[in-house]
Amino acid sequence: MRKHAMVCSIQLALLSMAAPALAQNSPQGQPQQLDTVQVTGSRIPRAQVEGPAPVTVVTAEEIKAAGFTSVPDVLRAMTQNGGETQSQQSSSGADFSPGAQQVDLRGLGPNHTLVLVNGRRIADFPMPFKGRSNFTDISNIPLGMIERIEVLTGSASAIYGSDAISGVVNFILKKHADGTTVDARMGITSEGGGESFDISLVSGFEKGRFSGIYSVELQSQTPLWAYERDIQDSTKDGPTAAAQAPRRGFLRTDWYDDYIDPGQATCDALSGQNGGTTYYGYRPRYGYYCGSDEAIGYGTIISKRRGVNAYASMSYAFDNGSQWFADVQMGYHDVSMFRDVTAWSHMAADGNEEGYFYNQASDQVEFWQRQFTPEEIGGLSRNMIETTQKTFGVTTGFKGTWADIWDYEAALSYSQYRAKISWPQIVAAKANELFLGPQLGEDDDGFPIYNADPERLYRPLTRSEYDSIAARSVYTPKSETGTLSLTVSKGDLFTLPGGDAGFAGTVELGRQSYSLNPDPLATQYYYYSWKDSDGKGSRNRWAGAAELRMPLHETLNWSVAGRYDQYRYSGNSIGKATWSTGLEWRPIDSLLVRGSYGTAFRAPDLHYVYAGIGNDETSGVDWYNYALDNGDDPEDYSEGLIRTREGNRNLDPETSTSWTAGFVWSPINGLDISADWFNIDMRDQVQDMSVDQILRDEAACRLGDKDMSSPTCMDAVSRVTRNSNGSLYGIYVNPINVAKESTEGVDIGVRYRLQTGIGQFTFSGAHTWVKKHDFQQYAGDEIKDQFAVNSGFDIPRTKTSASISWEKDAWAATVYGQRLGKLPNSWSYDQVWEEGDPGPYIRATYRYNASLQYRFDDHSRLSLSVVNLFNKMPPKDPTYSSYPYYDISWFDSVGRQINLQYTHKFGGAAL
């Protein structure tokens, strides 16, 4: 009997709850024999698929019925995936990890979720998340090759080692194929743009003792541009008058930041730029300039992607019952995205980006700003961020039975991720020369002197002039991970009152490395507003682990696991032991009561350890001048800062404890209900030093409130750089073990199956409610409630998904819905909301998908799916004055997506 299509992810334990019903329906009421399986979170194969910790499963059929077309979409819908990650519109993602996407279980950060493929580690994306930590890219995992996705939330270090603090996502790829299956899918959006095409082939072979499965998938995604969506194609979409002012493409100001009026005629001469939308603009309280409303909409909402994935799984059976196996995965993807047009203002040779200079032509200090138009660039396609991603993974080894007693598996796995990333840049010195001419020295106040005719600022560049100052910064980052492992297991190590005890033991040797390989010029003050850091390092590790599952009684199982990992790098040796335990109690056949406890750790991120010196931009309150002036509002003293950052080779591991407790209940035939409480407490979390705390310490030291000769003052003062006029310029930080973070909540799942005369109906639902999520950056600091107003965090308290599926004869249909709980509005996120302001929350949002399938026969099927059925756009936030005027961590303006998929199987059993 074929599997019925379901949509919502369900607890894996629910599947076994149907066992009593199966027994009743079997011939003579005989119980059905279940094959042993290995479930994420345990290395002991067992017949019962449920365990003491909840595991969520999403099958390939569920993914198709829900209308999902990519792995990030699938995981984003999971209620346990509660963290703020980077979208394809993210400027941080474009700057640091273009083309990559993440999963963030429990909102503890993508680096605390362990991602596996077939139970094996894969190489990290070779560039760091937000320029800080390592993470796994899930965007190029082949959706068409996935058999199911298993997600364990909570501690799993005792089984898998480092990284599994918030949980494990295990992608199980297809292992068997009878016949050849071809899938072809075409997708469009009802609002236009973003067309996609995907085709995959899965087949297998069996020649005597040698058998295998192989698959190839081709992907094509056209970009969706911001100017193709009405809600973000113009500054007029902004919620405030200030936000609706045209973008400042050609700007000239004085020392006081008052705009110097170019005059109507000057802007009229530029009217052909930005597609004929440049005009004489005005910004309240500042003045006139030449700008465009529509120049804001040049970014991509969905990246362009062309790619191919190939996968093969093979095995050979020997006479003695042992088996050789090998899994090989390869991927090649070209991803292009557009963040923004290139820009320029004066940048000094030492990297100073204040931009002010003394202009002899006007006898005053000025600031000039230029944003280059598509006409000058030669078209938007010439300025895309281009990424080539090459992934390769292989696992091979032997498994069988040793001495007719022990099952074993000896395996070598290796995974590599290579990329070539090219960013469009402006060469600072060449642009200075083009617009300002040669520097004529410095004045008495330290400002560079130029004799710059303003006509140079307001003259469109020819293609050759633009090319003379433009360049591309090319990085070739690479990451690798390799593991040699031996696992032995025995399902009947000894006998207890409830049955045979199972055991598994593992030893591992591993190595991990990464290298950013940046453009050497990018680590200098060469490109405008861009000075990056290098990073390169490796570490070796070994580990030993053991796991025991003991049926103490026919209704009670007890599991315990322990592991020790040791990492060695740069003369450091860090060892950490972790353990976990769990109970499963079945007081009656239809009820499972379960609970687990575990400790976990994360070895310091390679980039936290090995990051070289580099700069980025941030802001901070000048507490020193605020105190000198007896200021009223600290926000009036907030200034832009150049933040200089370097890694720390003396970091300790992050640690955590995790609890779960819950039940799975089948009160009537066809109805399954689960509820699980979770609690994760993380300590020694690595965070960059607090900019605000350094500035507070520096102020207290300068004002005499702290001893200037103390270590705190000597450190704080040395980290802050000020301009000659006493204003803030730069700050120097390192990552340190300092933060604490904890979260607690409940996951609820329900599934109900009903057979009627008009077909079978299945209802599935999942809900996650987070009771608390607290964060403390420094010992002694206030503990921040991440759900509080003005917390500075952007996570929902609740996420819900639900579906109704119907199936009869050749037809099947599903309606799937998601609810995302309320989120902070922009002012609350920026920690400036006050009573009487709009908000402070964005209301909960709902999105619905629908699918319809028709089987022509046992070997062919046509599917129509609609994502975002009612074409819902992001909720309006009157405080979100930054483009694109909504929270891109959680929303996009893609709108309704329509996908048509045809599946045909040649040979083999029915679909």
Side-chain angles (χ1 to χ4, degrees):
M1 181 176 180
R2 65 183 178 86
K3 183 180 293 184
H4 298 296
M6 296 176 291
V7 179
C8 185
S9 59
I10 61 173
Q11 302 295 342
L12 180 59
L14 297 180
L15 300 179
S16 68
M17 291 294 96
L22 291 173
Q24 294 170 9
N25 295 330
S26 61
Q28 288 82 45
Q30 294 299 313
Q32 301 298 297
Q33 181 66 38
L34 296 176
D35 293 333
T36 59
V37 295
Q38 184 164 309
V39 180
T40 299
S42 175
R43 297 186 187 274
I44 303 174
R46 56 182 186 267
Q48 293 173 323
V49 292
E50 78 277 4
V55 175
T56 300
V57 176
V58 189
T59 68
E61 286 298 317
E62 293 170 353
I63 292 170
K64 183 177 294 184
F68 298 123
T69 58
S70 71
V71 167
D73 288 342
V74 176
L75 295 183
R76 194 176 296 114
M78 294 193 62
T79 62
Q80 299 93 335
N81 186 13
E84 174 191 8
T85 55
Q86 295 171 338
S87 77
Q88 296 181 71
Q89 295 187 77
S90 167
S91 58
S92 174
D95 284 345
F96 297 114
S97 50
Q101 293 181 265
Q102 313 84 27
V103 58
D104 184 3
L105 296 178
R106 302 302 186 201
L108 295 173
N111 57 333
H112 297 114
T113 298
L114 177 61
V115 177
L116 307 173
V117 174
N118 289 338
R120 317 285 182 181
R121 291 172 179 263
I122 59 176
D124 290 332
F125 188 75
M127 296 289 287
F129 179 70
K130 295 185 177 179
R132 302 290 185 265
S133 58
N134 301 109
F135 72 98
T136 303
D137 177 21
I138 60 171
S139 68
N140 59 11
I141 293 176
L143 186 68
M145 302 180 199
I146 292 174
E147 179 70 27
R148 66 186 185 277
I149 304 171
E150 298 179 355
V151 180
L152 169 69
T153 54
S155 169
S157 284
I159 305 298
Y160 297 109
S162 181
D163 306 346
I165 283 182
S166 58
V168 180
V169 179
N170 190 7
F171 295 92
I172 309 298
L173 304 186
K174 295 174 181 177
K175 288 286 188 180
H176 305 286
D178 59 335
T180 299
T181 302
V182 177
D183 255 309
R185 175 181 56 80
M186 295 183 294
I188 60 172
T189 64
S190 62
E191 300 295 307
E195 296 82 8
S196 64
F197 177 75
D198 187 289
I199 185 168
S200 66
L201 179 148
V202 180
S203 188
F205 62 89
E206 186 169 347
K207 296 184 177 180
R209 297 176 180 178
F210 186 42
S211 62
I213 180 175
Y214 57 90
S215 177
V216 177
E217 181 180 43
L218 301 176
Q219 298 175 321
S220 176
Q221 173 72 60
T222 62
L224 176 62
W225 294 87
Y227 58 73
E228 296 181 283
R229 291 296 179 264
D230 290 343
I231 73 166
Q232 62 182 95
D233 65 348
S234 168
T235 57
K236 297 301 183 185
D237 300 316
T240 64
Q244 292 172 6
R247 197 173 196 200
R248 294 161 290 173
F250 303 80
L251 177 67
R252 181 176 168 225
T253 82
D254 61 20
W255 164 247
Y256 302 101
D257 292 333
D258 293 324
Y259 296 176
I260 299 174
D261 190 344
Q264 177 81 47
T266 298
C267 295
D268 288 348
L270 294 167
S271 61
Q273 300 297 302
N274 292 304
T277 66
T278 301
Y279 66 98
Y280 187 45
Y282 177 77
R283 185 182 182 194
R285 303 198 315 273
Y286 289 92
Y288 291 92
Y289 58 97
C290 301
S292 166
D293 302 328
E294 298 181 17
I296 199 74
Y298 292 143
T300 49
I301 299 171
I302 297 178
S303 304
K304 175 183 177 181
R305 180 182 286 266
R306 301 285 188 273
V308 57
N309 291 298
Y311 170 71
S313 180
M314 301 162 285
S315 65
Y316 182 87
F318 296 99
D319 288 337
N320 60 3
S322 60
Q323 183 183 94
W324 168 81
F325 63 90
D327 296 338
V328 181
Q329 178 273 327
M330 293 180 287
Y332 183 95
H333 294 260
D334 283 326
V335 182
S336 299
M337 61 189 300
F338 198 100
R339 176 191 172 188
D340 203 350
V341 293
T342 46
W344 165 86
S345 64
H346 178 269
M347 188 177 92
D350 64 358
N352 189 307
E353 296 180 33
E354 286 187 293
Y356 297 101
F357 62 93
Y358 176 74
N359 193 352
Q360 285 185 347
S362 61
D363 191 25
Q364 64 178 344
V365 174
E366 295 184 3
F367 171 88
W368 288 11
Q369 175 184 295
R370 262 304 238 110
Q371 293 171 345
F372 299 106
T373 67
E375 292 82 3
E376 294 174 305
I377 293 169
L380 296 180
S381 61
R382 294 191 72 234
N383 256 23
M384 298 189 87
I385 300 170
E386 299 173 350
T387 303
T388 299
Q389 304 170 346
K390 300 177 183 179
T391 58
F392 172 75
V394 59
T395 298
T396 186
F398 298 89
K399 59 183 178 181
T401 302
W402 175 66
D404 295 326
I405 299 175
W406 292 92
D407 295 326
Y408 73 89
E409 180 187 276
L412 173 65
S413 62
Y414 172 80
S415 178
Q416 180 187 99
Y417 199 132
R418 290 177 176 265
K420 180 180 179 182
I421 309 174
S422 171
W423 286 272
Q425 303 283 14
I426 295 297
V427 180
K430 292 182 179 180
N432 291 349
E433 177 77 19
L434 178 65
F435 287 105
L436 304 178
Q439 183 173 338
L440 305 176
E442 292 185 355
D443 69 6
D444 294 339
D445 294 319
F447 291 109
I449 301 172
Y450 293 91
N451 186 11
D453 185 347
E455 288 188 5
R456 297 183 185 178
L457 177 68
Y458 297 107
R459 180 178 59 82
L461 300 184
T462 66
R463 175 74 171 274
S464 61
E465 285 177 321
Y466 177 80
D467 288 346
S468 72
I469 63 172
R472 280 195 167 267
S473 183
V474 179
Y475 291 41
T476 55
K478 173 185 175 183
S479 67
E480 297 176 298
T481 186
T483 302
L484 178 64
S485 64
L486 173 64
T487 300
V488 296
S489 63
K490 184 171 172 58
D492 54 352
L493 185 65
F494 53 85
T495 301
L496 289 170
D500 293 331
F503 172 84
T506 300
V507 291
E508 293 179 354
L509 294 173
R511 178 177 173 81
Q512 184 182 10
S513 66
Y514 90 115
S515 178
L516 298 186
N517 295 323
D519 173 359
L521 295 174
T523 61
Q524 307 171 29
Y525 294 111
Y526 183 76
Y527 300 116
Y528 169 69
S529 194
W530 183 284
K531 183 179 185 293
D532 207 351
S533 64
D534 198 355
K536 178 180 181 179
S538 64
R539 62 189 179 197
N540 300 318
R541 67 177 179 91
W542 69 268
E547 182 183 1
L548 190 61
R549 188 169 188 266
M550 297 171 286
L552 303 179
H553 185 266
E554 62 181 7
T555 65
L556 183 65
N557 278 306
W558 176 36
S559 301
V560 62
R563 182 182 176 106
Y564 182 83
D565 290 80
Q566 186 176 83
Y567 285 80
R568 295 182 177 180
Y569 58 93
S570 295
N572 295 317
S573 179
I574 295 178
K576 190 67 181 176
T578 54
W579 71 283
S580 64
T581 187
L583 285 173
E584 308 157 60
W585 178 44
R586 293 174 178 79
I588 55 177
D589 288 344
S590 62
L591 177 64
L592 166 67
V593 180
R594 61 190 177 190
S596 67
Y597 169 81
T599 65
F601 83 106
R602 176 172 173 79
D605 262 311
L606 284 175
H607 195 62
Y608 275 137
V609 174
Y610 290 110
I613 294 178
N615 290 350
D616 64 6
E617 298 176 0
T618 187
S619 62
V621 174
D622 187 348
W623 294 107
Y624 175 61
N625 280 312
Y626 171 76
L628 289 179
D629 296 344
N630 293 315
D632 294 326
D633 186 353
E635 284 300 313
D636 292 339
Y637 290 81
S638 180
E639 296 188 21
L641 285 166
I642 302 298
R643 176 169 48 191
T644 302
R645 181 181 183 274
E646 187 177 18
N648 182 355
R649 302 197 179 191
N650 296 311
L651 292 170
D652 294 323
E654 301 172 323
T655 61
S656 75
T657 58
S658 174
W659 295 86
T660 68
F663 67 87
V664 182
W665 184 35
S666 299
I668 59 174
N669 187 32
L671 174 62
D672 305 311
I673 302 169
S674 70
D676 289 279
W677 165 80
F678 64 86
N679 180 287
I680 302 174
D681 187 13
M682 185 162 52
R683 303 297 177 96
D684 297 321
Q685 186 178 358
V686 176
Q687 291 280 324
D688 279 353
M689 300 179 72
S690 167
V691 169
D692 185 68
Q693 187 61 52
I694 293 172
L695 293 176
R696 288 180 183 272
D697 287 342
E698 185 239 8
C701 297
R702 291 184 181 276
L703 294 168
D705 297 333
K706 291 186 177 182
D707 181 3
M708 183 62 84
S709 63
S710 67
T712 297
C713 285
M714 294 176 65
D715 182 69
V717 172
S718 68
R719 291 179 180 275
V720 178
T721 305
R722 292 181 175 272
N723 295 309
S724 57
N725 63 3
S727 62
L728 285 174
Y729 174 72
I731 193 165
Y732 176 83
V733 300
N734 294 110
I736 55 176
N737 291 96
V738 64
K740 300 177 183 179
E741 190 167 0
S742 62
T743 184
E744 178 183 351
V746 176
D747 295 323
I748 298 172
V750 61
R751 184 167 65 123
Y752 182 58
R753 300 166 299 280
L754 180 64
Q755 187 69 48
T756 72
I758 59 172
Q760 175 171 290
F761 292 86
T762 302
F763 170 79
S764 298
H767 177 74
T768 294
W769 172 72
V770 184
K771 178 183 178 183
K772 70 169 188 176
H773 196 134
D774 295 336
F775 177 80
Q776 183 185 42
Q777 182 152 5
Y778 282 89
D781 282 358
E782 175 188 0
I783 297 176
K784 289 189 175 183
D785 175 4
Q786 295 197 14
F787 299 117
V789 176
N790 290 336
S791 72
F793 293 90
D794 186 24
I795 59 174
R797 187 184 291 274
T798 60
K799 287 184 72 176
T800 308
S801 62
S803 69
I804 298 177
S805 297
W806 165 80
E807 186 174 2
K808 182 174 175 59
D809 300 329
W811 293 93
T814 297
V815 176
Y816 171 82
Q818 300 178 48
R819 179 187 184 274
L820 180 67
K822 66 181 183 181
L823 292 165
N825 70 4
S826 182
W827 286 357
S828 179
Y829 180 76
D830 292 337
Q831 305 179 64
V832 297
W833 185 87
E834 297 177 351
E835 287 292 340
D837 291 339
Y841 295 107
I842 301 170
R843 68 184 187 280
T845 54
Y846 298 80
R847 298 290 184 270
Y848 298 92
N849 301 349
S851 69
L852 180 66
Q853 299 181 17
Y854 177 74
R855 292 177 180 269
F856 297 102
D857 52 44
D858 286 346
H859 284 70
S860 60
R861 176 176 60 196
L862 185 67
S863 305
L864 175 69
S865 67
V866 182
V867 178
N868 194 354
L869 183 63
F870 300 109
N871 199 30
K872 291 291 186 179
M873 290 294 163
K876 292 186 180 299
D877 179 358
T879 70
Y880 210 109
S881 57
S882 298
Y883 186 79
Y885 319 119
Y886 62 83
D887 186 350
I888 61 173
S889 296
W890 297 102
F891 306 104
D892 61 50
S893 60
V894 175
R896 184 186 296 112
Q897 298 171 270
I898 303 168
N899 300 288
L900 187 65
Q901 183 168 344
Y902 178 71
T903 305
H904 194 92
K905 188 174 183 182
F906 300 90
L911 280 169

